[in-house]
Each structure stands twice: as C-alpha cells, then as structure tokens.
Amino acid sequence: MPVNHPSFGLLPEDRVIIFDTTLRDGEQSPGFSMNLSEKLRMAEALAELGADVLEAGFPIASPGDFESVFEIARRFAKDGPVICGLARAAPGDILRAAEAVRPAARPRIHTFISTSPLHMRVKLRMTPEEVLEQVTASVTLARNHAADVEWSAEDGSRSEDEFLCRCVEAAIKAGATTINIPDTVGYAVPEDLARIFTMLRERVPGAERVVFSTHNHNDLGMAVANAIAALRAGARQVECTINGIGERAGNASLEEVVMALRTRHDSIGLVHGINTPRILKTSRLLSAITGFDVQPNKAIVGRNAFAHESGIHQDGVLKDAKTYEIMTPESVGWSKSSLVMGKHSGRAAFRDKLRSLGYELGDNALNDAFRRFKELADRKKVVFDEDIVALVDDEMARANERIALLDLTVATGMHTKPTATVVLEVDGARREASASGDGAVDATFAALREAFPHNAMLKLYAVQAVTDGSDAQARVTVRLEEEGKLVDGQGADTDTIVASARAYVHAVNKLLAKRLRTAPPALAATA
Ligand code: KIV
Ligand code: ZN
C-alpha cells in the first residue's frame, strides 16, 4: 500500500527516497569539515543532482552548524529538497533543530536515540524503559514543530528484536513519519538487514503508514550491499553520501546505490529521482571542497572506473562497449572527450564550456576565471575539462577572502638554501616577507607565516595531479590546526609551489572565518 508522506504526498510503491547526509554524517568525519559557503555550494549541487532529502547538519553541535542548516533551509524556502536537521532525544536539541530547518519549504526534524543493549547500558546509562519513554517524548516534541519527523534507532542493527519493535511502535504512535534503522557500526551483513526490515514491517502496528529507512556504515565494506538488501525488504528511504564519506569507513555511497538501482532494475525493481549525469560533477565538487580525491578504482566516480587497460578488454570495448561496461560512462557524467579549448579560445566559448560543466558564474567571477584560464592555456599544452574544474573551484574558494596571494618567488637548487618571498594583500594592505626553509614548500610556508603571523600548526600536506603529464596542474591540500579546530585549504596551479601557497593561504582564510564565527569580539587576526 502506498505511504502518504507529509513531504512527498502519495509515494509510488517502487520509489526510493534518496536521503543525502554528506553535509552531516559525511561532514563530521575528520578532515571533511566545510565552511558555510562550501556547504551552500554543496547543498545546491545536491539539489541539482535530485537528492530528495538533504541532512544539512546537527544544529545543536555548534553555532556554525546551526547557521549552515538555517542558511540551507533559507536557500530552499520556496521549493527544493526536504531540509533535515539532526537532534538527539533531548528537548534542547530538538528545539534547536526545529528552529534551524524552519525556513525550508519542506522541513524535517530527525531525532535519534540508541536502542542496543550495549549503547543503552554503557553510553546512555539508561534502562530500556527509560529509552522507550524518551522515544515517545522526543518524537512528540518534534511533531509539535514539524509535520515531517524521522526517528532513528541508533545501533539499531545490534538491538534486540522485541525491544526494537516496541521502540518503532512508540515512535510511530508519537507521530514519526520515517523510521530509520541504522547499522551504526557497520556490523551487519545483508541477510541481517533483510530480516530486520521484514520483521518490523510484519510485526509493528502502524508500519504501513511510515517510510522505513536504511543507514549503513562501511566498516566491513558492505554498506551498499546492506542498503540494497534493506530496500529489497521494504525500506523506501536510503541514507547515503557522495563518495561514501562519513564516520570511520564512511557511509553507503550515493552514486553506488543509485547506479545499482538503475543498472539492476531488472533484479531490484525500484526507481529513484537522481539525475545521474550530474553524479561525477557532484563527486568532483566534494573532492575539490574537501581536498580528498576518491581512489582511482572507486566505483562510478574513480579515474579508472571506465578505463580499460588490458588488450582483451580494449578490443572488446571497441567492438561493443557492452562487452565490459555495464553502464555507459556518459550516464554518470563522464564525457567522451575531455579535451577543451586552447589559448585562442574566447570568453564566450569559455562561458559555454563552464555551463556545460555545470558552472554559472557572474560577470566578475567569469572575468577572473577567464584570466586564469588564459594564463593556464599559455603554460599548458592541452587544457582538459578537469583543469577547468580545478581552476574554477580554486577561484570560487577564494571569493571574499581577507588574504590574497599576490606574488611568490622561490629560489632553490641542490646547493642553494631554498628561500621564498611572498607578497600578500591583507584586508587591502600589501605585505611582503621572505624566509628560507628545508625545501621550496617549507620556505614558502615560512614566508607566509612571516607575512601573516599566526599560531596554527600544519597537520597535513597532500599533492595530487589533476590530469596526466608533467605539465599537469597540481591540486594541493593543506590542513591547519588552531586550538583544536581543523581547517583544510586547497589550491591548484601548474606550479606545485604556487598551488601549495594558494592552499596555505586558503586554509588561513578559513581559520580567520572560523575565529570570527566562534568568538567574535575577542579574536581578530593576530596580525
Ligand atoms: O550511524 C548512525 O547511527 C547515525 C544516526 C545518527 C542516524 O548517523
Ligand atoms: Zn551514521
């Protein structure tokens, strides 16, 4: 029987709701934190991708988290995906989440509590009866503030059947409209989830009125398989993240779940509303924002996902791609030829190319990106789509920053002490400084610290090539830590040292933004 859902109306029985938690479960894993403008960009990309629900954050966690959920909710005040805020089973959490999602056209409050014996005893120090009372109280309160309420049984897959059924029944009675059973620790095997969802749907009174949801962690590499097993057993919402990011080993990857549903519709028989040709672009945007590329063999979005190396495979693909390709590269956003324009290409062609890559820039941003494209085309023989994406993402990351890198000169060699001179513009004022170091990058970072003194510690320095070839652009990630707060900065350039300097400056800018948000009056820049 189709469920009549407050946010989606009458749901066709074969329609799977794609609940994206990149901005919450994904963002809370170390190194993946995003600032407000990055979260907004990601939220817009996820909406364009066609995600049905965006879990935008955990509003009680910090003022910054609240602000980003609130701003995302405001961005989707007229239409767009359901905007969801997470809350523990505590009135303060629930009221804060309600306030944060309120501006959205379709707000959702997602409240959770642990139901496994281990979590209840050790983590919550509560008896099962106390937990049950909390289920009713939290869902009732949430329902007073939103028509769309999701309740989750944290560590649900390790909970006792009888108790799980009682909790789910209580949540439904109190008004929950979605019931989520997470495999919080990635312990389940597909048969476990099939059994749990079948049991809940058969045994719990009122089960036919709600949407069941599955949320799987990848500790044993089974998150996607578990999600599909749950869907086969009647779940109709799947919680997932772009590139599978998330706590520890991550969550079920959105692109893998979605393409499994599409490619194996013959076997699974379920549909979704994802605009699959936008998958690669969304995956790359996340990588550009967080500075973490997916591994080359990552299904769907990895560099090698559609590359055929062996002669036998190449021969087969040339005869008929279906011999070794179960889906077309184009169906997930890979273009046949990623070769683009050269130094003679004009502004209009550049704007067209940006549109085809999914970027709509205002005039000023377009001018800046075009200037950098021309510089790049002068230096690099062949400019690929990937180069343009890296360049534009780099340019967008720099918008509204207080510190700008104006110039960098480095002298280095086998018998020379590396020295770097940097020129910065800080709040409109020019600053120049020089320093030496153990290598060109070290000297550059020392010069940047000299020009803009600060106490942040370098925690990670990573370099990746955007394309092949010795003239490839380098994409650098720099992670800084200040008073326990981590920020990642990114920079791209054909010169690795310049890319490193850009990444460092980007990270310092993020720290400044973070300082302002967390403690406005006391902390200005130390310089
Ligand atoms: O893994 C988990 O249990 C969660 C819940 C908060 C839904 O992320
Ligand atoms: Zn989770």
Side-chain angles (χ1 to χ4, degrees):
M1 208 178 46
V3 173
N4 196 357
H5 190 277
S7 291
F8 300 107
L10 218 51
L11 280 160
E13 275 179 75
D14 62 347
R15 175 65 153 83
V16 175
I17 296 168
I18 303 294
F19 175 114
D20 180 277
T21 183
T22 305
L23 297 172
R24 198 278 298 168
D25 208 319
E27 204 255 353
Q28 78 193 32
S29 54
F32 284 86
S33 65
M34 299 173 221
N35 64 26
L36 176 60
S37 71
E38 291 167 340
K39 284 188 186 170
L40 277 166
R41 271 169 72 200
M42 207 55 223
E44 297 202 347
L46 290 165
E48 281 163 22
L49 180 68
D52 299 296
V53 185
L54 303 190
E55 188 163 51
F58 192 3
I60 194 84
S62 72
D65 271 57
F66 175 86
E67 189 190 7
S68 41
V69 179
F70 185 76
E71 289 304 327
I72 291 170
R74 265 175 18 119
R75 166 66 190 77
F76 297 105
K78 290 209 173 77
D79 51 19
V82 170
I83 303 300
C84 171
L86 185 68
R88 288 165 300 189
D93 279 44
I94 292 168
L95 296 177
R96 196 81 174 132
E99 201 185 333
V101 297
R102 189 164 299 130
R106 295 190 292 165
R108 173 181 295 190
I109 300 172
H110 176 189
T111 180
F112 71 98
I113 190 164
S114 293
T115 53
S116 68
L118 180 65
H119 275 218
M120 289 191 290
R121 193 181 70 247
V122 178
K123 191 182 100 165
L124 299 178
R125 293 171 199 262
M126 284 166 85
T127 64
E129 291 312 311
E130 285 166 338
V131 167
L132 203 55
E133 276 169 27
Q134 291 290 311
V135 174
T136 302
S138 58
V139 175
T140 305
L141 179 61
R143 268 310 299 269
N144 287 339
H145 294 270
D148 184 340
V149 170
E150 172 168 336
W151 177 76
S152 281
E154 191 185 8
D155 208 16
S157 59
R158 294 194 299 172
S159 303
E160 285 169 355
D161 288 354
E162 200 57 41
F163 185 62
L164 188 60
C165 285
R166 288 177 68 204
C167 289
V168 170
E169 184 177 349
I172 295 174
K173 270 206 185 117
T177 47
T178 297
I179 299 291
N180 182 41
I181 310 296
D183 180 30
T184 303
V185 291
Y187 176 76
V189 294
E191 291 73 15
D192 293 335
L193 289 192
R195 193 190 62 74
I196 291 170
F197 282 95
T198 305
M199 169 193 78
L200 291 174
R201 292 180 61 230
E202 279 172 8
R203 283 182 39 188
V204 176
E208 69 291 344
R209 294 200 305 272
V210 297
V211 171
F212 279 94
S213 166
T214 183
H215 175 113
N216 300 282
H217 283 271
N218 206 28
D219 300 67
L220 294 174
M222 282 189 277
V224 173
N226 284 340
I228 300 292
L231 294 174
R232 282 186 192 275
R236 284 297 176 268
Q237 173 176 286
V238 58
E239 305 200 347
C240 43
T241 58
I242 298 294
N243 296 345
I245 69 170
E247 284 277 358
R248 305 180 311 278
N251 288 67
S253 119
L254 180 148
E255 59 277 10
E256 293 174 23
V257 170
V258 156
M259 290 315 288
L261 292 179
R262 182 172 151 159
T263 310
R264 296 310 313 274
H265 184 262
D266 62 316
S267 162
I268 307 167
L270 300 175
V271 297
H272 56 74
I274 294 293
N275 182 4
T276 64
R278 294 197 74 89
I279 284 179
L280 185 64
K281 182 179 163 17
T282 316
S283 155
R284 290 204 164 154
L285 176 64
L286 181 66
S287 296
I289 287 176
T290 59
F292 290 104
D293 274 351
V294 297
Q295 79 268 22
N297 62 325
K298 165 81 175 64
I300 318 292
V301 291
R303 184 162 20 102
N304 293 349
F306 293 90
H308 303 280
E309 183 70 28
S310 94
I312 298 174
H313 287 207
Q314 284 176 350
D315 179 53
V317 170
L318 286 174
K319 286 176 178 143
D320 182 345
K322 288 202 199 74
T323 51
Y324 289 99
E325 278 177 2
I326 58 168
M327 54 200 146
T328 65
E330 292 78 18
S331 67
V332 295
W334 292 91
S335 55
K336 274 218 165 64
S337 156
S338 60
L339 182 63
V340 292
M341 309 156 301
K343 59 181 173 185
H344 301 299
S345 309
R347 205 166 166 279
F350 182 67
R351 188 198 286 266
D352 267 6
K353 173 51 83 180
L354 288 184
R355 280 201 184 120
S356 77
L357 292 170
Y359 293 97
E360 198 62 63
L361 300 189
D363 281 347
N364 289 343
L366 180 71
N367 287 341
D368 291 345
F370 185 58
R371 182 184 42 72
R372 282 197 53 193
F373 161 70
K374 283 288 193 183
E375 286 166 14
L376 181 66
D378 265 343
R379 273 180 287 155
K380 200 170 180 293
K381 283 193 265 332
V382 182
V383 180
F384 294 94
D385 285 359
E386 290 88 334
D387 287 314
I388 297 201
V389 168
L391 180 154
V392 177
D393 285 339
D394 187 70
E395 200 58 41
M396 285 169 84
R398 248 140 283 279
N400 309 319
E401 287 188 339
R402 287 180 55 193
I403 309 174
L405 177 70
L406 298 186
D407 201 6
L408 166 66
T409 316
V410 179
T412 188
M414 278 175 72
H415 306 292
T416 318
K417 177 93 179 147
T419 36
T421 303
V422 298
V423 183
L424 299 181
E425 189 177 87
V426 182
D427 295 331
R430 193 182 154 90
R431 291 192 194 180
E432 186 169 331
S434 299
S436 53
D438 293 332
V441 173
D442 192 44
T444 302
F445 289 179
L448 288 169
R449 275 194 301 275
E450 195 64 36
F452 188 81
H454 55 273
N455 297 324
M457 302 286 291
L458 181 68
K459 288 288 169 190
L460 176 129
Y461 171 71
V463 187
Q464 283 151 344
V466 172
T467 57
D468 295 335
S470 58
D471 64 351
Q473 285 194 88
R475 187 160 65 218
V476 174
T477 301
V478 162
R479 181 176 302 160
L480 297 179
E481 184 189 5
E482 186 184 64
E483 291 171 4
K485 291 187 204 84
L486 289 173
V487 288
D488 286 334
Q490 279 86 40
D493 199 277
T494 49
D495 186 317
T496 308
I497 313 300
V498 175
S500 305
R502 287 187 193 283
Y504 195 98
V505 170
H506 185 213
V508 175
N509 273 305
K510 279 176 136 181
L511 272 183
L512 294 183
K514 231 180 179 111
R515 284 185 199 170
L516 281 177
R517 242 181 298 135
T518 45
L523 290 166
T526 53

